Amino acid sequence: MVKKYLKKSIEFWENNFLESPENLWALRISFSAILALGIFYLLGIPKAGLTVSMGIVATALTENDVHIKSSLRSTLLIGFLFFIFSSLVQLLLPYPIIFGVFLVSSSFFIMLAGELKSKYNHLAFGSVLIILYSIFIYQPEADWFRIPFLFVVAVIIHMATSIVILLLNPYQNLQNELANAYQLLAKYLRMKSKFFPSSADEQEEIRNELALINIQLFSQSEKIKNILQRLGQELNLHQRTKFNQYVSEWNQLQLLHERAVSSHESYDSISQNVNSSLVVAGLGKMLRELGKASDEYARNILKKNTFQSSPNLRWTSNALELLLRQNLCKDQASINYLWKNIKSMEETFEARHTPANINLEYTFDEKKWRDLFSPKNNKFRHAVRLSTCFAVGYTLMNIFKIEQGAWIILTSLIVCQQTYDATRQRFFKRIIGTLMGVIIGITLSLLLPTTAGQVVILIASMFIFFKYLRGNYIIAAIFITVYVLAVYNLLQGTGVQVMTPRIIDTLIGSVIAYLSIRFIWPEWQYKNLKNLLIKAIEKDKIYFESVMNQQISTQEYLHHQRNAHRADNQLAQVWKSMRFEPKSKQKLITPARNFTYLNHTLLSYISALGVHRKSLNFNENDFFIKNQIIKLLDEILLRLQLGNQNSEPTEKSFILPIEKLKDTENLLFLDNILKLSQELKEAGEHIEF
């Protein structure tokens, strides 16, 4: 009986926490809060435990560490900053004008300081957050150092749990992010399977969905790269074996990503021209099975198990291979290369990767102060908007004697993002989440009115908030509101009473944040389109040249591949953001959509050539076509940079007689790239920035 329950407990742990990094993160934070509440309850000062729990929330949103050494350094740094900023609040808050100057100036310089080095972004946000938390729980009759001291205790308790986790598993953060990436790859493959079969009309929606997933997938890959760089700087040579294994996993992810985004032919053409509909259905089935394999691969990373290919994947692969041998298709070359690409993904998952001592490209993003103080710098503009929000919110708080007016400032901090699109979305999500949170929170308070009940609500809402913080902000906003209500019920017994002012403060803070992004140096996306399009074409060109250069190292090749995908993602994000801007500011939205589609298609065709590059033999004619493609891309860049006046007319298309090619199969890739380059050039001729 004991063994049975133990087995079930282990399965429950693995299924609900070990395989769900967000659940594990939320559980760790909740455990820190329970520990704090328990300690201070035993000490006879339970309300101090609530202050510490708020400090734990701030610390959890601040930490960004990947190694024990950096965690120890962060504990000292976060604790020091929390103590200093909280102390200044306690000392200056009785003097409204002086405190207002401190609040506005400190928030401005803290947010800019966070941009000097990217890993300090979280620290900057946490520091501003602790200033606002200190306003909420300000106690004029208490010693000035009491609340700052409790926040330091919060840092120690929470960071201690982080250090324990890192001692037990030094690569926990890296495993979590790698697993997230492979789950996104699985999502991409499942969406791409819908191409088989598909019509031209259906493909637009599928491509739009793929573009959004691709943004997430590439961003996740970049996040892993940053973690690897930071972790690699902390490790000595004796600790490199396991680390290099994870570098290999990341390189594998990039190669799988390249295979996933590659296109060998128009998919509606394949659907129509293949003799057997079973072949098309089989390709879709194979991609879905690869999606399942990617999900399973993610689970194995988290469990630290060896991946085993599923019988369904092997059966589908064998059946489809047999089917392809029996069916000759009109587009046999396209189908063969598409099949080789899909088959290679299966083999990549099944391969046993040995750790490789790979040198990561370390990039140092430190900036100088003088580079930040420019209206052209979007980080500077964001800091100005945020500090303006704080100034307006604090002024309203004092003029109208709003007792909990700090909620206005906190709401502005959370809603005000660096782009109009992100701010607009956060605006609505915050308001909806707050309203729903008030309803749920009051209902729970009536059902569980006791102190024990409020503690349960507090811990549960904290867990749910962190579980959904990165994935569903509306749910996160709901439960941070419930958390606040529980805190006020436990501290003052006034949770329900403060909810109406909280709704009003949330509305005011959200409106202030929205107006700041709307009128203070608004960064409308059409202004960025030209530069991002030029950058995308330049990176596509370099990537294409690296594909044709078979002497290039894998590491350098992947570097150029990442740069091309990064530029493509930035272009896609401009178009995505532009759709949410005011109608009057949606200039060039149609060209933006067309360029995004054409550039992504060009990149997918280059990727298709790239995934087969090691098995292809390029001859003289291939390099002749390559030069024509490079010439076209250069002409596109010239038109974009100088405008139509300074560019000479060129031939509409380039056709090399097929009989002159010794290896006609290479024309499949090069002709697709050539045609897309020509389409991009023609699109560039009809746009005026």
Side-chain angles (χ1 to χ4, degrees), residues 5-24:
Y5 283 117
L6 182 61
K7 182 180 179 181
K8 286 186 176 180
S9 298
I10 293 173
E11 288 178 355
F12 178 82
W13 170 259
E14 289 182 346
N15 294 335
N16 293 280
F17 293 102
L18 193 59
E19 294 182 14
S20 178
E22 299 302 325
N23 284 354
L24 190 60

Tab-separated table of all heavy atoms in Angstrom, residues 5-24:
chain	number	residue	atom	x	y	z
A	5	TYR	N	1.150	4.247	-2.969
A	5	TYR	CA	0.968	5.695	-2.790
A	5	TYR	C	2.251	6.459	-3.116
A	5	TYR	O	2.196	7.572	-3.634
A	5	TYR	CB	0.516	5.990	-1.365
A	5	TYR	CG	-0.940	5.682	-1.124
A	5	TYR	CD1	-1.332	4.702	-0.218
A	5	TYR	CD2	-1.936	6.369	-1.823
A	5	TYR	CE1	-2.671	4.406	-0.006
A	5	TYR	CE2	-3.278	6.091	-1.619
A	5	TYR	CZ	-3.647	5.112	-0.710
A	5	TYR	OH	-4.968	4.838	-0.520
A	6	LEU	N	3.396	5.847	-2.791
A	6	LEU	CA	4.681	6.483	-3.118
A	6	LEU	C	4.848	6.613	-4.622
A	6	LEU	O	5.292	7.654	-5.132
A	6	LEU	CB	5.823	5.676	-2.511
A	6	LEU	CG	7.233	6.241	-2.715
A	6	LEU	CD1	7.355	7.618	-2.075
A	6	LEU	CD2	8.281	5.294	-2.149
A	7	LYS	N	4.476	5.559	-5.339
A	7	LYS	CA	4.576	5.582	-6.801
A	7	LYS	C	3.665	6.645	-7.393
A	7	LYS	O	4.053	7.394	-8.295
A	7	LYS	CB	4.221	4.202	-7.354
A	7	LYS	CG	4.350	4.104	-8.871
A	7	LYS	CD	3.983	2.714	-9.372
A	7	LYS	CE	4.093	2.653	-10.886
A	7	LYS	NZ	3.717	1.306	-11.412
A	8	LYS	N	2.438	6.713	-6.860
A	8	LYS	CA	1.499	7.723	-7.337
A	8	LYS	C	1.986	9.135	-7.039
A	8	LYS	O	1.816	10.049	-7.846
A	8	LYS	CB	0.119	7.489	-6.716
A	8	LYS	CG	-0.629	6.300	-7.292
A	8	LYS	CD	-2.049	6.224	-6.734
A	8	LYS	CE	-2.834	5.087	-7.384
A	8	LYS	NZ	-4.209	5.002	-6.849
A	9	SER	N	2.606	9.296	-5.869
A	9	SER	CA	3.137	10.611	-5.497
A	9	SER	C	4.257	11.032	-6.435
A	9	SER	O	4.339	12.191	-6.854
A	9	SER	CB	3.641	10.585	-4.055
A	9	SER	OG	2.595	10.300	-3.158
A	10	ILE	N	5.127	10.076	-6.763
A	10	ILE	CA	6.236	10.368	-7.677
A	10	ILE	C	5.696	10.724	-9.057
A	10	ILE	O	6.168	11.677	-9.702
A	10	ILE	CB	7.198	9.171	-7.763
A	10	ILE	CG1	7.920	8.976	-6.412
A	10	ILE	CG2	8.220	9.373	-8.885
A	10	ILE	CD1	8.761	7.731	-6.339
A	11	GLU	N	4.695	9.969	-9.529
A	11	GLU	CA	4.082	10.262	-10.829
A	11	GLU	C	3.425	11.633	-10.835
A	11	GLU	O	3.524	12.382	-11.814
A	11	GLU	CB	3.052	9.176	-11.168
A	11	GLU	CG	3.660	7.835	-11.524
A	11	GLU	CD	2.597	6.787	-11.806
A	11	GLU	OE1	1.392	7.100	-11.630
A	11	GLU	OE2	2.965	5.665	-12.198
A	12	PHE	N	2.734	11.959	-9.723
A	12	PHE	CA	2.092	13.270	-9.620
A	12	PHE	C	3.142	14.376	-9.670
A	12	PHE	O	2.956	15.398	-10.353
A	12	PHE	CB	1.314	13.363	-8.307
A	12	PHE	CG	0.647	14.696	-8.089
A	12	PHE	CD1	-0.572	14.992	-8.676
A	12	PHE	CD2	1.250	15.673	-7.284
A	12	PHE	CE1	-1.185	16.223	-8.476
A	12	PHE	CE2	0.651	16.900	-7.092
A	12	PHE	CZ	-0.574	17.180	-7.693
A	13	TRP	N	4.258	14.202	-8.972
A	13	TRP	CA	5.334	15.189	-8.958
A	13	TRP	C	5.919	15.373	-10.357
A	13	TRP	O	6.113	16.495	-10.821
A	13	TRP	CB	6.407	14.766	-7.969
A	13	TRP	CG	7.652	15.581	-8.045
A	13	TRP	CD1	8.823	15.240	-8.658
A	13	TRP	CD2	7.862	16.894	-7.518
A	13	TRP	NE1	9.742	16.247	-8.536
A	13	TRP	CE2	9.184	17.276	-7.849
A	13	TRP	CE3	7.056	17.774	-6.796
A	13	TRP	CZ2	9.709	18.501	-7.471
A	13	TRP	CZ3	7.595	19.000	-6.436
A	13	TRP	CH2	8.901	19.351	-6.763
A	14	GLU	N	6.189	14.262	-11.028
A	14	GLU	CA	6.794	14.325	-12.356
A	14	GLU	C	5.844	14.978	-13.368
A	14	GLU	O	6.248	15.837	-14.157
A	14	GLU	CB	7.187	12.927	-12.828
A	14	GLU	CG	8.379	12.339	-12.077
A	14	GLU	CD	8.763	10.966	-12.603
A	14	GLU	OE1	7.941	10.370	-13.353
A	14	GLU	OE2	9.861	10.482	-12.271
A	15	ASN	N	4.567	14.572	-13.329
A	15	ASN	CA	3.598	15.062	-14.323
A	15	ASN	C	3.227	16.521	-14.117
A	15	ASN	O	2.991	17.244	-15.081
A	15	ASN	CB	2.339	14.202	-14.289
A	15	ASN	CG	2.602	12.773	-14.743
A	15	ASN	OD1	3.537	12.508	-15.492
A	15	ASN	ND2	1.783	11.841	-14.282
A	16	ASN	N	3.153	16.949	-12.855
A	16	ASN	CA	2.632	18.284	-12.568
A	16	ASN	C	3.698	19.330	-12.238
A	16	ASN	O	3.413	20.528	-12.301
A	16	ASN	CB	1.631	18.223	-11.417
A	16	ASN	CG	0.382	17.462	-11.782
A	16	ASN	OD1	-0.507	17.979	-12.440
A	16	ASN	ND2	0.317	16.193	-11.367
A	17	PHE	N	4.903	18.889	-11.908
A	17	PHE	CA	5.936	19.851	-11.542
A	17	PHE	C	7.236	19.650	-12.323
A	17	PHE	O	7.733	20.592	-12.936
A	17	PHE	CB	6.202	19.791	-10.032
A	17	PHE	CG	5.038	20.257	-9.221
A	17	PHE	CD1	4.185	19.351	-8.601
A	17	PHE	CD2	4.762	21.611	-9.094
A	17	PHE	CE1	3.091	19.790	-7.873
A	17	PHE	CE2	3.673	22.062	-8.368
A	17	PHE	CZ	2.830	21.144	-7.751
A	18	LEU	N	7.765	18.444	-12.328
A	18	LEU	CA	9.032	18.224	-13.018
A	18	LEU	C	8.899	18.488	-14.509
A	18	LEU	O	9.804	19.025	-15.142
A	18	LEU	CB	9.524	16.788	-12.777
A	18	LEU	CG	10.980	16.513	-13.182
A	18	LEU	CD1	11.932	17.434	-12.428
A	18	LEU	CD2	11.342	15.061	-12.939
A	19	GLU	N	7.743	18.144	-15.099
A	19	GLU	CA	7.521	18.371	-16.525
A	19	GLU	C	6.888	19.724	-16.810
A	19	GLU	O	6.585	20.035	-17.962
A	19	GLU	CB	6.626	17.249	-17.087
A	19	GLU	CG	7.290	15.888	-17.075
A	19	GLU	CD	6.402	14.813	-17.667
A	19	GLU	OE1	5.404	15.176	-18.325
A	19	GLU	OE2	6.695	13.629	-17.476
A	20	SER	N	6.675	20.529	-15.779
A	20	SER	CA	6.081	21.863	-15.956
A	20	SER	C	6.935	22.892	-15.214
A	20	SER	O	6.722	23.142	-14.023
A	20	SER	CB	4.645	21.879	-15.435
A	20	SER	OG	4.089	23.160	-15.563
A	21	PRO	N	7.935	23.488	-15.889
A	21	PRO	CA	8.818	24.459	-15.234
A	21	PRO	C	8.080	25.624	-14.584
A	21	PRO	O	8.492	26.105	-13.527
A	21	PRO	CB	9.713	24.945	-16.380
A	21	PRO	CG	9.720	23.816	-17.350
A	21	PRO	CD	8.342	23.219	-17.272
A	22	GLU	N	6.968	26.071	-15.189
A	22	GLU	CA	6.225	27.188	-14.606
A	22	GLU	C	5.608	26.783	-13.269
A	22	GLU	O	5.603	27.570	-12.315
A	22	GLU	CB	5.122	27.648	-15.576
A	22	GLU	CG	5.634	28.138	-16.925
A	22	GLU	CD	6.608	29.298	-16.783
A	22	GLU	OE1	6.422	30.128	-15.870
A	22	GLU	OE2	7.550	29.380	-17.581
A	23	ASN	N	5.091	25.557	-13.195
A	23	ASN	CA	4.536	25.072	-11.929
A	23	ASN	C	5.625	24.959	-10.860
A	23	ASN	O	5.415	25.284	-9.690
A	23	ASN	CB	3.871	23.713	-12.118
A	23	ASN	CG	2.524	23.817	-12.799
A	23	ASN	OD1	2.033	24.922	-13.042
A	23	ASN	ND2	1.920	22.698	-13.130
A	24	LEU	N	6.798	24.482	-11.285
A	24	LEU	CA	7.896	24.312	-10.338
A	24	LEU	C	8.381	25.660	-9.820
A	24	LEU	O	8.671	25.820	-8.630
A	24	LEU	CB	9.049	23.555	-11.019
A	24	LEU	CG	10.186	23.071	-10.111
A	24	LEU	CD1	9.659	22.121	-9.040
A	24	LEU	CD2	11.268	22.386	-10.942
